[in-house]
Amino acid sequence: MDLDSIWNLFIEKAAGIQGVTAIEMRKIAGIPFLFIHPDENGTLDAIERGIRVCSAEVMKGKRLSSETIFVRAEGSYYVFRHRFLVPQRKMFCCGNLCIDCVRFSHDRFF
């Protein structure tokens, strides 16, 4: 799964959120942050709701989840930590007879 294309589509959709004049994603220490410049009608709650809606649209049909955390309001912009999370996959058999056990996987490496 290519997260870069997911991010590009997300930024494109999020730029259309009502109350947002500009949005930028920056990675700081490997963690993605959204810097959002609101217009005079943009409230924090509405922008956060818009981020969640755009995330859901981008993730539809994919095995992803997202996490959005408000960090701070600085001057004329809001900062959010926003991540798309891929599901963790088991790397060994735990012996509990799980239905998704790695023993039953066809794409194992020998």
Side-chain angles (χ1 to χ4, degrees):
M1 183 175 310
D2 183 27
L3 282 180
D4 289 335
S5 63
I6 300 292
W7 269 106
N8 292 337
L9 187 58
F10 171 74
I11 294 296
E12 183 179 310
K13 287 185 177 289
I17 296 173
Q18 187 174 8
V20 172
T21 58
I23 184 169
E24 179 185 1
M25 189 272 284
R26 294 185 208 161
K27 281 192 175 182
I28 301 171
I31 300 171
F33 288 91
L34 297 175
F35 291 80
I36 299 177
H37 297 274
D39 63 11
E40 62 276 350
N41 298 326
T43 64
L44 181 61
D45 290 335
I47 291 172
E48 194 167 359
R49 216 171 314 117
I51 290 171
R52 293 184 199 283
V53 168
C54 291
S55 294
E57 289 175 4
V58 170
M59 294 183 307
K60 194 170 197 165
K62 297 171 183 61
R63 295 183 65 193
L64 288 174
S65 60
S66 69
E67 174 187 58
T68 306
I69 298 172
F70 175 73
V71 177
R72 70 178 184 272
E74 175 120 2
S76 64
Y77 58 88
Y78 296 128
V79 180
F80 293 90
R81 186 177 78 203
H82 182 78
R83 301 182 335 172
F84 288 105
L85 305 167
V86 295
Q88 297 294 317
R89 186 170 170 206
K90 290 171 56 174
M91 301 301 286
F92 60 92
C93 174
C94 62
N96 290 333
L97 301 174
C98 304
I99 59 172
D100 62 342
C101 183
V102 296
R103 293 181 302 139
F104 305 130
S105 176
H106 298 298
D107 59 341
R108 291 184 298 177
F109 298 109
F110 292 103

